[in-house]
Amino acid sequence: MEFKAITDPKARHGSACAVVGVYENGDLGIGARHVEAQIGGVLSKLHASGDFSGKLGDTLVLPHLRGGAAARVLLVGLGARARFGRKPYRKALQAAAAALAKTGAADAVLYLALEEVEEVDLLHRARAIAEVFSSHFYRIPDLKSAAAPKPPALDLVSVAADDARGAKAVADGLRFGQAIASGMALTRDLGNLPPNVCTPTYLGNRAQRLAKEWPSIKTKVLDHAAIKALKMGAFLAVTQGSEQPPRLIVCEYRGGRKNSAPICLVGKGITFDAGGISLKDPPGMDEMKFDMGGAAAVLGALRAVAELALPINVVAIVPTCENMPSGKAVKPADIVTTLSGQTVEILNTDAEGRLILCDAITYSRRFKPAAVVDVATLTGACIIALGNHFSGLMSNDEGLAHELETAGVRADDRAWRLPVGEEYADQLKSNFADFANVGGREGGACTAASFLWKFAKDLKWAHLDVAGTAWLSGAQKGSTGRPVPLLVDFLIKRAHAA
Ligand code: BES
Ligand code: MN
Ligand code: ZN
């Protein structure tokens, strides 16, 4: 789908659909004024008859119009004008995308970015359009034998602005939104692929391809021998029960000054988490193919950064392997030496994410990073704490935590701060090693983060637990692409502050 910013009314002539907002009580949005002449008194009649009241998310297509700029007008309910903020705006966009997809319109002019939205400027209003529309048209990689349903006709979305200055903001916003959406699509594809396809080897190859597609990215993929030579004892323990060889993927994007310290993004890449010897219960185990959601998100974010050519340095680090039971698998009570030299007693082999991440965080030190952000589907406990709405956010640095939290707000991809540190780390006591990999049921998301915290001393570090947000279950089962929007927003801000 292509997006463009327009101002010249002539450019809109002959469009297949004009999309305009209507507030509650038939109160016309700014955009609706542009088509007032065409739809004339229809709107007040619709309101009087109760057929369209402008309730948030309601839509109505007025087809077969004559004598105007568009062949159809799509009315989109915006709800109460006084409450038109970030969330209702998104909801209206989602409704508009869904309604447009059902029409045969191949192109549309959107007037929705013209509406005032509390705390959201024009650039971000346009960015949301590209994100929401692209996401709505995302399709899961097709592995069904029946012919795929015909995709919607829509392939050009023009977003109207008032003047040239507005058009510049809209164009920038659309560019950001498209890059975020492309990054999310990559993340979602990787998550949705079955685990017999999306193996550690596959992820490594995909990362190599990313470097071919974007010359600003350099990818290095380390195999088992190289990981062993590095002495990543915790990572090696997790992979040892699997027939699939592990990979350590390192993608460097250099868009900033040569000597400016990079941001390291570390993503958990468990391509299937059976739990190992501490085997999981069968129900829902299929969803553990999504346990590489963190890896997929950091690769997706890097793709977006490259597409936007952001003036910043970013390194994505992905430890990836399976967590399987076998005669060779790591056992409860085994003790391993991590890359940092600290020893860990593995009491539960299902707490494997922290084991591969601790070595990857230690590895990130060689880049002398300005900050390290790890992204992981780390704990079921985080889902209990926050549900599917917020990612968990833990950090040893107030400034970094604040940056990520506000990025999540701007990107509509929110994270909620949770505690981390000594109190929770104390729960990881072991009689036999420096510490254990589990700390009991209480505060499970916080003890997991505090395990990582022990490896992040003297780094500016943050952890995003995306166990509840990286994918949806049930009828909607599938990868969400989160937290790509949060990460990219954070990096855009960092790049432009630098
Ligand atoms: N990948 C899981 C976390 C998870 C579970 C994410 C369910 C989403 C849904 C992780 O590796 C895991 O198994 N964590 C354990 C930790 C426990 C053994 C301390 C958990 O959360 O149960
Ligand atoms: Mn696990
Ligand atoms: Zn896991």
Side-chain angles (χ1 to χ4, degrees):
M1 193 169 356
E2 194 195 329
F3 294 90
K4 67 176 190 202
I6 57 168
T7 47
D8 183 359
K10 278 196 219 116
R12 301 165 202 168
H13 200 81
S15 112
C17 190
V19 183
V20 300
V22 181
Y23 293 99
E24 234 161 56
N25 307 319
D27 183 5
L28 279 190
I30 295 175
R33 307 225 168 88
H34 290 264
V35 294
E36 209 171 359
Q38 193 173 11
I39 56 178
V42 177
L43 217 52
S44 53
K45 279 185 205 142
L46 284 173
H47 185 242
S49 64
D51 291 336
F52 191 79
S53 64
K55 195 170 139 246
L56 180 62
D58 277 1
T59 56
L60 185 68
V61 180
L62 306 176
H64 311 305
L65 298 172
R66 267 177 232 257
R72 314 166 179 74
V73 171
L74 170 62
L75 303 177
V76 182
L78 305 181
R81 192 189 282 271
R83 285 198 297 275
F84 199 55
R86 201 183 296 274
K87 274 197 189 154
Y89 178 61
R90 279 237 158 198
K91 197 163 173 205
L93 293 181
Q94 258 141 12
L100 259 177
K102 286 191 198 135
T103 71
D107 67 286
V109 177
L110 259 70
Y111 292 90
L112 298 171
L114 297 171
E115 306 302 328
E116 290 282 328
V117 182
E118 210 185 342
E119 286 181 1
V120 186
D121 62 16
L122 182 57
L123 184 147
H124 286 87
R125 299 202 290 272
R127 181 172 113 178
I129 290 176
E131 259 181 67
V132 168
F133 274 68
S134 303
S135 295
H136 192 85
F137 285 73
Y138 170 82
R139 291 293 169 269
I140 286 172
D142 184 21
L143 293 171
K144 299 195 183 192
S145 59
K150 231 174 90 207
L154 190 68
D155 64 9
L156 172 64
V157 175
S158 303
V159 178
D162 283 325
D163 50 26
R165 211 166 132 238
K168 164 88 172 69
V170 167
D172 284 344
L174 291 173
R175 203 165 52 82
F176 286 136
Q178 271 181 283
I180 291 169
S182 306
M184 290 172 81
L186 170 59
T187 301
R188 294 173 78 177
D189 278 352
L190 293 174
N192 288 330
L193 283 170
N196 58 333
V197 172
C198 186
T199 59
T201 305
Y202 181 94
L203 279 182
N205 292 343
R206 189 64 191 83
Q208 304 273 28
R209 211 173 98 208
L210 210 53
K212 288 221 177 72
E213 292 160 348
W214 303 96
S216 53
I217 297 177
K218 303 260 175 292
T219 294
K220 193 166 76 176
V221 179
L222 306 189
D223 63 7
H224 186 268
I227 297 163
K228 201 167 162 195
L230 277 169
K231 299 200 160 96
M232 294 182 136
F235 181 13
L236 289 164
V238 177
T239 190
Q240 76 189 41
S242 166
E243 297 289 326
Q244 289 290 338
R247 294 286 184 260
L248 179 68
I249 303 168
V250 183
C251 298
E252 286 189 61
Y253 167 83
R254 298 269 164 195
R257 282 192 313 275
K258 202 163 167 255
N259 51 4
S260 105
I263 304 283
C264 284
L265 301 178
V266 179
K268 171 178 173 182
I270 297 291
T271 60
F272 191 75
D273 181 10
I277 295 299
S278 314
L279 193 63
K280 286 185 181 294
D281 279 343
M285 207 205 271
D286 66 291
E287 297 191 6
M288 285 299 118
K289 74 168 183 173
F290 295 114
D291 209 20
M292 33 56 71
V298 305
L299 293 176
L302 201 73
R303 188 202 182 285
V305 167
E307 182 170 333
L308 293 171
L310 292 183
I312 188 172
N313 297 329
V314 183
V315 184
I317 301 171
V318 170
T320 172
C321 67
E322 290 181 336
N323 185 26
M324 300 289 277
S326 93
K328 291 185 184 148
V330 70
K331 305 171 292 299
D334 280 1
I335 293 178
V336 297
T337 303
T338 64
L339 177 59
S340 73
Q342 301 178 93
T343 59
V344 175
E345 184 184 19
I346 299 176
L347 288 177
N348 188 325
T349 67
D350 199 11
E352 84 297 342
R354 62 198 78 180
L355 294 172
I356 68 171
L357 289 168
C358 71
D359 280 346
I361 289 170
T362 303
Y363 182 83
S364 77
R365 290 179 186 272
R366 68 174 56 202
F367 297 99
K368 307 225 175 328
V372 177
V373 181
D374 79 71
V375 186
T377 49
L378 202 64
T379 63
C382 191
I383 314 179
I384 304 297
L386 300 176
N388 305 106
H389 311 289
F390 288 77
S391 302
L393 164 62
M394 291 83 159
S395 180
N396 61 5
D397 186 86
E398 293 303 310
L400 180 61
H402 182 73
E403 280 179 81
L404 291 165
E405 200 172 349
T406 51
V409 171
R410 278 190 304 269
D412 291 300
D413 180 13
R414 294 189 63 186
W416 196 267
R417 185 103 183 255
L418 294 171
V420 68
E422 204 61 63
E423 296 86 342
Y424 295 97
D426 281 348
Q427 288 177 231
L428 300 167
K429 287 229 154 36
S430 162
N431 285 351
F432 305 101
D434 292 347
F435 41 89
N437 75 328
V438 288
R441 274 167 48 80
E442 299 85 4
C446 303
T447 52
S450 299
F451 179 94
L452 299 176
W453 171 83
K454 285 176 163 290
F455 295 84
K457 291 268 159 66
D458 308 317
L459 291 171
K460 283 185 193 291
W461 160 82
H463 161 66
L464 288 165
D465 192 331
V466 295
T469 52
W471 77 87
L472 300 172
S473 304
Q476 299 289 312
K477 195 188 284 183
S479 168
T480 59
R482 292 179 69 181
V484 170
L486 179 157
L487 291 173
V488 178
D489 190 290
F490 161 69
L491 294 168
I492 290 172
K493 268 266 149 136
R494 274 264 171 158
H496 293 124

Short mmCIF file of all heavy atoms in Angstrom, two decimals, residues 10 127 136 148 170 185 194 252 276 333 391 425 455:
data_model
loop_
_atom_site.label_atom_id
_atom_site.label_comp_id
_atom_site.label_asym_id
_atom_site.label_seq_id
_atom_site.Cartn_x
_atom_site.Cartn_y
_atom_site.Cartn_z
N LYS A 10 -7.30 19.52 -6.56
CA LYS A 10 -7.36 18.86 -7.87
C LYS A 10 -6.79 17.44 -7.79
O LYS A 10 -7.21 16.54 -8.49
CB LYS A 10 -6.56 19.66 -8.90
CG LYS A 10 -7.35 20.82 -9.49
CD LYS A 10 -6.67 21.32 -10.76
CE LYS A 10 -6.76 22.83 -10.82
NZ LYS A 10 -5.45 23.48 -10.76
N ARG A 127 1.33 9.58 11.12
CA ARG A 127 2.07 8.35 11.41
C ARG A 127 1.11 7.23 11.80
O ARG A 127 1.24 6.10 11.35
CB ARG A 127 3.07 8.62 12.53
CG ARG A 127 3.90 7.43 12.88
CD ARG A 127 4.99 7.78 13.85
NE ARG A 127 4.76 7.14 15.13
CZ ARG A 127 5.59 7.23 16.18
NH1 ARG A 127 6.66 7.98 16.10
NH2 ARG A 127 5.32 6.61 17.28
N HIS A 136 -3.66 -3.21 9.35
CA HIS A 136 -4.94 -3.82 9.03
C HIS A 136 -4.83 -4.71 7.79
O HIS A 136 -5.54 -5.71 7.67
CB HIS A 136 -6.01 -2.75 8.80
CG HIS A 136 -7.38 -3.33 8.76
ND1 HIS A 136 -8.12 -3.56 9.90
CD2 HIS A 136 -8.13 -3.80 7.72
CE1 HIS A 136 -9.26 -4.13 9.56
NE2 HIS A 136 -9.29 -4.29 8.25
N ALA A 148 -5.67 -18.36 -1.63
CA ALA A 148 -5.79 -17.27 -0.65
C ALA A 148 -6.93 -16.35 -1.06
O ALA A 148 -7.16 -16.13 -2.25
CB ALA A 148 -4.48 -16.49 -0.59
N VAL A 170 2.72 15.78 7.32
CA VAL A 170 2.00 14.54 6.99
C VAL A 170 2.93 13.56 6.29
O VAL A 170 2.98 12.37 6.62
CB VAL A 170 0.75 14.84 6.14
CG1 VAL A 170 0.19 13.56 5.53
CG2 VAL A 170 -0.31 15.54 6.98
N ALA A 185 5.66 -5.83 10.29
CA ALA A 185 5.29 -6.94 9.40
C ALA A 185 6.38 -8.01 9.42
O ALA A 185 6.07 -9.22 9.46
CB ALA A 185 5.05 -6.43 7.98
N PRO A 194 5.69 -21.25 11.50
CA PRO A 194 5.75 -22.39 12.41
C PRO A 194 7.19 -22.63 12.86
O PRO A 194 8.13 -22.27 12.14
CB PRO A 194 5.24 -23.55 11.56
CG PRO A 194 5.52 -23.14 10.15
CD PRO A 194 5.37 -21.65 10.12
N GLU A 252 24.63 -4.96 13.02
CA GLU A 252 25.07 -3.60 13.36
C GLU A 252 24.55 -2.62 12.33
O GLU A 252 24.84 -2.75 11.14
CB GLU A 252 26.60 -3.53 13.38
CG GLU A 252 27.22 -4.18 14.59
CD GLU A 252 28.71 -3.89 14.68
OE1 GLU A 252 29.08 -2.71 14.79
OE2 GLU A 252 29.48 -4.86 14.61
N GLY A 276 11.98 -27.75 28.23
CA GLY A 276 13.13 -28.61 28.53
C GLY A 276 12.69 -29.74 29.45
O GLY A 276 11.54 -30.19 29.39
N ALA A 333 19.27 -28.65 38.72
CA ALA A 333 20.45 -28.82 39.60
C ALA A 333 21.78 -28.71 38.85
O ALA A 333 22.82 -28.58 39.49
CB ALA A 333 20.42 -30.11 40.40
N SER A 391 3.32 -3.90 28.20
CA SER A 391 4.54 -4.68 28.38
C SER A 391 5.11 -4.29 29.74
O SER A 391 4.91 -3.17 30.21
CB SER A 391 5.56 -4.35 27.29
OG SER A 391 5.01 -4.58 26.01
N ALA A 425 16.38 -9.95 43.65
CA ALA A 425 17.56 -10.78 43.37
C ALA A 425 17.86 -11.69 44.57
O ALA A 425 18.35 -12.81 44.40
CB ALA A 425 18.76 -9.90 43.03
N PHE A 455 23.48 -8.99 35.64
CA PHE A 455 24.44 -9.02 34.53
C PHE A 455 24.57 -7.65 33.87
O PHE A 455 25.34 -7.48 32.93
CB PHE A 455 24.02 -10.07 33.50
CG PHE A 455 24.07 -11.47 34.04
CD1 PHE A 455 23.00 -11.98 34.78
CD2 PHE A 455 25.19 -12.26 33.88
CE1 PHE A 455 23.04 -13.26 35.31
CE2 PHE A 455 25.25 -13.55 34.41
CZ PHE A 455 24.17 -14.05 35.14
#
